[in-house]
Amino acid sequence: MLRTAVLALLALGLSASRTKVNKHKPWIETSYHGVITENTDVVLLDPPLVALDKDAPVPYAGEICAFNIQGLESPFEAVVLNGTSGEGQLRARGLVDCESQKEYTFIIQAHDCGSGPGGAEGKKSHKAAVHIQVNDVNEFAPVFRESEYRAAVTEGKIYDNILQVEATDQDCSPQYSQICNYQITSARTPFAIDRNGNIRNTEKLSYDRQQQYEIQVTAWDCGQKRALRSVSVRIDVKPVCKPGWQGWNKRVDYEPGTGSKQLFPKMHLETCGGPLSSARTTVELQTGHIGKGCDRETYSEKSLQKLCGASSGSTDLLPAPSAATNWTASLVTDSGRDSELIFTFDGRQAAKIPDWVVPQNLTDHFTIATWMKHGPSHGLRAEKETLLCNSDKTEMNRHHYSLYVHNCRLVFLLRRDFTQVDTFRPAEFHWKLEQICDKEWHYYVINVEFPVVTLYVDGVTYDPYLVTDDWPIHPSQIDVQLTVGACWQGGEVKKPRFTQYFRGSLAGLTIRPGKIESQKVISCLQACKEGLDINSLESLDKSIKFHFNPAQSILVMEGEDLENMNAAVRKVSYINSRQFPTPGARRLRISTSVQCFGEDTCITIPDIDAVVMVLQPSEPRITISGAERLTRPESDFGAAGGIALFQDLHIISTVTRADAAAARQTARQPEVLEEIIHNLDYCDILVLGEELGPEEESLQVRRGALLGKHLDATNSTSGMSVYGVDSMSSYEQVIRQVRYYHRRPAHLTERRFRLTCSELNGRYTSNELNLEVSVLHGSEPGEHVGHAIAPPQYMQVRRPSVVHDLYAGHSSAVPSAATVVIVMCIAALVVVVVLGIYRIHLTHQQEIRLEETAKEAGTSWDDSALTITVNPMENLQEPRAEEEAGSDEEDEDEEDEEEDDEITSAESDYSEEEVDIQLPKVERQSRKGQNWDKARISY
């Protein structure tokens, strides 16, 4: 029974145990921390993943079947490595990337196997938190944030930090994502870089030595991975900021004929940040080395006076040396500057003006004008330097009028004669001016309206600061001497000599008696043709104030706004109105002063110097053309007005220019001739050979031909000069009307003339046009009558003395053959003379018969003008002429018969009209006593 009971109890216990076999839940840790290295799949958990079940070792109930992960899109999974021990493993379902996500957190639970293999009635553990960190791998290299770095530094300074370069790393961990080092890879550079990428200079930089540096920089991360590509760093070195003008060129080229050209189109004033309240800029064009102080017209003094409308009648005391004006031949000249005539005096030269040149009619109104360049004479300050002096020629040493410099003062002395005034009157006029001794050219004009004397210097009026009076000069019969460059001392010394020599340069010294010049004419005579200008003046800001000096060589500009001042200075231009300017350099100087706002010290703007280079102009080639030979009947020469010499004259001017279009097609620079228009200043008609006989011949031009033109003409026995600044067409019109007149053309065979023209006082001259004028003589008087009474045309009449002269050198030893020839010639001559006398006798008889016949027919001839006498045997001396004068009535009868015979003769080659044209010439020849012209004898 007991056994049965025990068995029953065991069966009951087994039955009960089977009923409650999975009584416990699995157990896991409450949290886990794991680490996974990117690019791997195994997670290292701490603590390890292990699940425990108290139902162990009951099969299934004490075994772990799974680990479940709860989380959104968790990239991990848990696997059971050993169900009995409950050991598991956490794995990544794919590669994890630290750069994408560094950490993960999710929930994990363990499941037992329950009551059977399928895990039915299995139980879950509590939830445990899992924290996983992704370990980084150094897979990325540093990369710089900028592709290039730039910075600028000022020379002469040491900088702690010029700029900072920065590189980044895409790795996620501090170990690999941080940049631990930077390095400059360029060799030998004056720069260094620290671990933070800060670049500094290790020495002072110089702008003159190097204006820019370029260095290469690389970087390392803390994993010692180097950047794959270095970065370029450019550092510009700036000069030390110095206030001043910037953006200007040292040289500006000026092409002649281009008008106004801007000098500083990009210039601006750098103030280095200093605030300015106002600025004043002065631009100065320095042209003292060009001609007489600047580029002026270089025409002759007469041409300039005509061009400017000056009064006529001036006397040039310093003309160019020539045969007619030889008193300046001994002076030192400097005419190499653009054909300007300048006389240099060194204290040893002077000139006496001939008496026939000196103006004799100086009244209370006259003008003295001159160009002068003068400087102080060291050690000679007490000595007078005379420009012009009119003093006694002998016996005494009185100065009647003079112009001199004394201690840099200009003094004009004018002593009147007692015949003009007999009271104490003004005599010396003194001016103290800086221009007198500044070693620059100035134009001085003294207008005398006694007792008032006015001085003009470069067109500006100056009154004398001192006027002293003196008594008039006592009248005397002593001649006076006018001198230039010194004063003549003819009396009160043992030997007459020059004294008070001038030291300097003079040009264009003139005296104009009886008239004074207006300020307008004076300004024209001294005007510069080059200067400064303002381009687009209307666009200049109203706040800018500007001022030019009279010569436009100095420009002053003032303004308060810096930008407006910059714009104004950019408009400053250079202009040269001459068609053919003087080439060469003109210096420019720009000086600027500024004022600052309420500051004791202000910035200083340094002066700048530049050069305007006037290029060489294209030289014109003046060509004059026309007839080179002229033949006219002798009647035209003696007619009123004579003959026109240059009726078909043409004047043109050409320059040679490069053909730009052709130059692009060929390597050479083709040249083409281009016709241009410009003025002339004189044309000379010179007589070649013997000079003109003033009583018989002359060159003439009507005054009306000069009206309306800036031209005048002078005439002499050597030719004619037409001068004045005017166009080539005006010169053509005037020269075409120049006529040559001869009172006795029968004596004239030919004349030769030469025409030349000039521009700029001989700087450019034309070719020479030579004209040969021939006289077409009419027939001799005998040719106008019938051949029955005319001598043979081939007859040559010579006096025996001519034959004797031909052989004068051989009279002592004449060969016998020559003697025979001479004898035969004399015999032939005697025969001819006899035949001539006989023929004249027959002609006279015929004339008597014809006269009687004409009277019977009632015909009355009035040919008093036909006083023709043909006798080849006469020596044409005065007794024969008296004999002919005593038989005028008989000669008139003979001429009547000759005229009748000439008209009716069948052998005559001339018509009645032709005979009438020649009659006046025949009459003039008869009245001259029948002087035979050997050149007109026909052979």
Side-chain angles (χ1 to χ4, degrees):
M1 272 292 289
L2 181 60
R3 183 176 180 183
T4 304
V6 172
L7 292 173
L9 287 173
L10 287 173
L12 182 63
L14 289 171
S15 174
S17 62
R18 286 177 181 171
T19 304
K20 296 182 179 179
V21 64
N22 191 11
K23 296 188 297 183
H24 299 93
K25 298 178 182 180
W27 178 89
I28 58 175
E29 298 287 343
T30 57
S31 64
Y32 294 90
H33 294 274
V35 176
I36 185 173
T37 302
E38 62 179 347
N39 301 326
T40 64
D41 59 351
V42 178
V43 180
L44 301 178
L45 286 177
D46 182 24
L49 182 61
V50 176
L52 300 177
D53 196 325
K54 290 182 178 182
D55 292 326
V58 177
Y60 299 111
E63 298 177 356
I64 301 300
C65 284
F67 292 95
N68 290 331
I69 294 176
Q70 298 176 12
L72 297 176
E73 300 180 358
S74 174
F76 298 97
E77 63 180 359
V79 297
V80 179
L81 297 179
N82 190 333
T84 302
S85 62
E87 183 179 356
Q89 186 180 55
L90 193 62
R91 296 177 180 176
R93 290 198 295 265
L95 298 179
V96 292
D97 186 6
C98 179
E99 288 75 33
S100 299
Q101 191 169 343
K102 296 181 180 180
E103 295 180 348
Y104 294 90
T105 301
F106 53 87
I107 301 298
I108 190 170
Q109 283 182 313
H111 293 256
D112 60 17
C113 294
S115 58
E121 299 179 2
K123 291 187 177 182
K124 302 177 183 179
S125 69
H126 62 272
K127 296 179 179 180
V130 180
H131 299 280
I132 298 177
Q133 180 179 353
V134 182
N135 283 346
D136 189 21
V137 175
N138 195 6
E139 57 183 332
F140 293 101
V143 176
F144 288 95
R145 290 185 179 275
E146 303 291 339
S147 60
E148 183 183 53
Y149 289 88
R150 297 189 70 98
V153 296
T154 303
E155 64 175 344
K157 296 176 64 177
I158 296 293
Y159 289 82
D160 293 333
N161 182 16
I162 297 176
L163 80 161
Q164 183 182 24
V165 297
E166 185 180 2
T168 60
D169 196 314
Q170 294 182 9
D171 291 315
C172 64
S173 64
Q175 180 182 2
Y176 300 133
S177 64
Q178 291 183 358
I179 307 300
C180 285
N181 191 24
Y182 291 94
Q183 182 179 358
I184 296 175
T185 60
S186 300
R188 295 187 297 276
T189 60
F191 301 96
I193 191 168
D194 61 13
R195 296 181 62 182
N196 295 322
N198 296 312
I199 299 176
R200 61 183 177 84
N201 59 317
T202 58
E203 62 184 48
K204 294 181 180 181
L205 305 179
S206 172
Y207 176 82
D208 296 331
R209 184 169 64 245
Q210 189 168 345
Q211 290 80 41
Q212 187 185 74
Y213 292 86
E214 181 177 358
I215 59 177
Q216 298 296 320
V217 176
T218 190
W220 277 270
D221 61 18
C222 293
Q224 293 302 306
K225 194 176 186 69
R226 180 178 175 174
L228 298 178
R229 182 177 297 176
S230 299
V231 70
S232 175
V233 180
R234 298 178 186 273
I235 300 176
D236 295 323
V237 180
K238 289 185 176 181
V240 175
C241 184
K242 299 176 182 177
W245 292 102
Q246 297 183 1
W248 54 278
N249 294 324
K250 183 74 174 178
R251 166 172 166 161
V252 180
D253 288 340
Y254 180 80
E255 183 73 29
T258 55
S260 180
K261 181 171 183 177
Q262 286 181 263
L263 297 174
F264 316 107
K266 297 181 180 179
M267 191 166 74
H268 67 278
L269 182 61
E270 175 62 58
T271 62
C272 296
L276 304 181
S277 61
S278 65
R280 175 189 174 95
T281 298
T282 301
V283 184
E284 182 181 1
L285 178 68
Q286 300 175 356
T287 59
H289 61 292
I290 302 295
K292 295 193 290 287
C294 68
D295 208 359
R296 294 182 169 91
E297 296 292 6
T298 56
Y299 297 114
S300 64
E301 199 65 29
K302 282 187 177 181
S303 297
L304 279 177
Q305 291 175 1
K306 187 73 175 179
L307 181 65
C308 293
S311 303
S312 59
S314 66
T315 301
D316 189 358
L317 300 181
L318 288 176
S322 66
T325 58
N326 57 1
W327 67 88
T328 59
S330 61
L331 301 180
V332 178
T333 61
D334 180 11
S335 58
R337 301 173 182 167
D338 199 13
S339 301
E340 290 187 290
L341 185 61
I342 296 172
F343 292 88
T344 302
F345 298 84
D346 62 357
R348 292 176 294 180
Q349 297 92 10
K352 291 183 179 180
I353 310 301
D355 293 339
W356 61 271
V357 177
V358 178
Q360 301 297 329
N361 56 342
L362 286 183
T363 61
D364 289 344
H365 293 72
F366 62 92
T367 299
I368 298 176
T370 186
W371 286 96
M372 182 178 72
K373 180 179 180 181
H374 181 265
S377 300
H378 301 288
L380 301 172
R381 296 183 60 83
E383 185 176 342
K384 296 180 180 179
E385 299 179 52
T386 302
L387 285 74
L388 179 69
C389 181
N390 185 270
S391 59
D392 291 330
K393 184 176 292 187
T394 58
E395 300 182 24
M396 302 182 70
N397 188 29
R398 299 176 302 175
H399 295 182
H400 297 261
Y401 62 87
S402 66
L403 180 64
Y404 61 90
V405 175
H406 188 210
N407 290 338
C408 290
R409 292 168 174 81
L410 186 66
V411 182
F412 177 63
L413 170 68
L414 180 62
R415 300 285 301 278
R416 315 300 291 173
D417 294 337
F418 261 111
T419 57
Q420 296 172 315
V421 65
D422 58 355
T423 59
F424 205 58
R425 300 295 295 272
E428 277 191 344
F429 304 83
H430 300 250
W431 293 271
K432 184 178 181 180
L433 305 173
E434 294 180 356
Q435 295 92 321
I436 297 173
C437 286
D438 64 358
K439 297 183 180 180
E440 300 290 342
W441 280 104
H442 299 284
Y443 188 56
Y444 298 82
V445 178
I446 296 179
N447 273 349
V448 178
E449 294 179 283
F450 196 80
V452 178
V453 177
T454 306
L455 172 67
Y456 292 87
V457 181
D458 298 330
V460 180
T461 307
Y462 296 93
D463 293 326
Y465 80 94
L466 175 65
V467 178
T468 59
D469 297 343
D470 202 348
W471 290 103
I473 293 178
H474 293 280
S476 67
Q477 301 299 321
I478 302 175
D479 293 334
V480 293
Q481 176 66 61
L482 182 63
T483 56
V484 173
C487 201
W488 180 253
Q489 187 172 0
E492 302 177 359
V493 290
K494 295 181 179 180
K495 182 180 180 180
R497 59 185 176 87
F498 284 112
T499 186
Q500 300 176 5
Y501 283 98
F502 177 70
R503 295 171 179 84
S505 299
L506 297 176
L509 177 58
T510 61
I511 294 182
R512 181 175 288 103
K515 296 179 181 179
I516 62 173
E517 287 299 356
S518 66
Q519 188 166 6
K520 179 180 179 181
V521 172
I522 295 172
S523 298
C524 175
L525 290 172
Q526 60 88 36
C528 286
K529 296 301 179 179
E530 64 178 340
L532 298 173
D533 192 19
I534 297 180
N535 193 21
S536 301
L537 182 61
E538 65 279 358
S539 64
L540 191 66
D541 191 87
K542 302 298 182 182
S543 64
I544 301 298
K545 300 177 182 178
F546 65 93
H547 172 71
F548 286 100
N549 69 332
Q552 283 193 224
S553 61
I554 298 177
L555 169 62
V556 180
M557 309 181 80
E558 296 182 74
E560 298 179 353
D561 184 80
L562 181 59
E563 290 303 319
N564 289 337
M565 276 295 295
N566 287 336
V569 173
R570 293 188 196 107
K571 294 179 181 293
V572 177
S573 304
Y574 170 80
I575 188 171
N576 195 317
S577 60
R578 293 189 66 192
Q579 190 172 9
F580 306 106
T582 304
R586 277 79 164 159
R587 291 182 294 273
L588 279 171
R589 167 156 290 188
I590 301 178
S591 56
T592 303
S593 60
V594 297
Q595 293 182 352
C596 299
F597 289 100
E599 296 184 8
D600 296 336
T601 60
C602 196
I603 60 176
T604 300
I605 308 299
D607 295 347
I608 65 174
D609 294 305
V611 170
V612 178
M613 183 61 67
V614 178
L615 304 180
Q616 179 74 37
S618 298
E619 295 193 1
R621 181 179 180 182
I622 306 171
T623 305
I624 54 179
S625 59
E628 297 182 357
R629 187 174 184 85
L630 188 64
T631 303
R632 291 289 184 271
E634 64 178 80
S635 57
D636 292 355
F637 290 85
I643 65 168
L645 295 178
F646 303 99
Q647 279 187 318
D648 56 350
L649 175 69
H650 293 284
I651 305 176
I652 64 170
S653 183
T654 57
V655 294
T656 302
R657 302 191 190 278
D659 189 351
R664 288 192 292 267
Q665 300 176 1
T666 61
R668 295 180 56 194
Q669 285 284 342
E671 296 180 344
V672 294
L673 287 179
E674 177 181 330
E675 186 172 347
I676 62 172
I677 298 176
H678 59 79
N679 292 329
L680 300 176
D681 60 350
Y682 69 80
C683 284
D684 287 338
I685 303 173
L686 301 178
V687 178
L688 302 181
E690 295 183 1
E691 294 187 352
L692 299 177
E695 297 181 358
E696 296 182 350
E697 52 186 339
S698 63
L699 291 173
Q700 303 173 355
V701 64
R702 294 185 303 104
R703 300 301 301 178
L706 303 174
L707 294 178
K709 302 178 179 65
H710 295 108
L711 298 179
D712 207 342
T714 58
N715 208 342
S716 68
T717 58
S718 59
M720 174 180 287
S721 179
V722 180
Y723 64 91
V725 182
D726 215 325
S727 63
M728 291 184 289
S729 60
S730 295
Y731 269 90
E732 277 186 358
Q733 296 171 15
V734 172
I735 296 175
R736 286 173 182 173
Q737 299 185 52
V738 174
R739 309 182 75 86
Y740 171 63
Y741 173 77
H742 200 295
R743 290 181 56 194
R744 300 176 181 177
H747 289 182
L748 181 66
T749 56
E750 66 176 14
R751 268 290 185 190
R752 291 183 298 120
F753 301 92
R754 175 176 294 164
L755 173 64
T756 57
C757 294
S758 160
E759 164 67 336
L760 297 177
N761 199 24
R763 179 179 174 186
Y764 305 116
T765 56
S766 70
N767 61 308
E768 296 177 348
L769 177 61
N770 294 317
L771 175 64
E772 184 176 332
V773 179
S774 300
V775 182
L776 184 63
H777 291 284
S779 301
E780 294 294 335
E783 296 176 350
H784 296 284
V785 298
H787 288 279
I789 60 172
Q793 293 186 3
Y794 57 83
M795 181 178 294
Q796 180 178 4
V797 180
R798 286 185 178 174
R799 297 188 297 272
S801 60
V802 175
V803 178
H804 175 75
D805 292 339
L806 291 173
Y807 299 96
H810 305 278
S811 58
S812 60
V814 178
S816 59
T819 305
V820 173
V821 173
I822 293 174
V823 172
M824 292 179 64
C825 290
I826 294 174
L829 181 61
V830 172
V831 172
V832 170
V833 170
V834 172
L835 290 175
I837 295 173
Y838 179 73
R839 188 166 185 175
I840 290 172
H841 176 72
L842 293 178
T843 301
H844 182 66
Q845 296 297 326
Q846 185 178 5
E847 288 173 352
I848 295 175
R849 291 195 297 269
L850 289 175
E851 182 180 4
E852 291 175 354
T853 305
K855 289 180 179 180
E856 291 175 359
T859 303
S860 177
W861 293 86
D862 184 13
D863 293 332
S864 58
L866 295 175
T867 57
I868 301 174
T869 303
V870 180
N871 190 347
M873 290 304 301
E874 294 294 332
N875 281 333
L876 306 178
Q877 297 175 349
E878 195 63 29
R880 179 58 183 169
E882 294 177 357
E883 180 181 346
E884 291 176 353
S887 58
D888 285 343
E889 184 176 353
E890 181 180 355
D891 290 341
E892 288 178 4
D893 293 340
E894 282 187 344
E895 289 165 2
D896 291 342
E897 293 297 332
E898 291 171 0
E899 181 69 13
D900 184 61
D901 184 60
E902 180 182 10
I903 295 174
T904 57
S905 175
E907 298 177 1
S908 176
D909 295 331
Y910 300 94
S911 65
E912 183 177 359
E913 181 180 356
E914 292 172 336
V915 173
D916 292 339
I917 293 175
Q918 300 295 335
L919 288 181
K921 290 185 281 188
V922 174
E923 179 182 10
R924 284 196 296 270
Q925 288 179 342
S926 176
R927 291 175 181 175
K928 286 162 53 179
Q930 295 182 352
N931 292 323
W932 290 80
D933 187 354
K934 295 181 182 180
R936 296 173 53 194
I937 298 176
S938 301
Y939 290 84

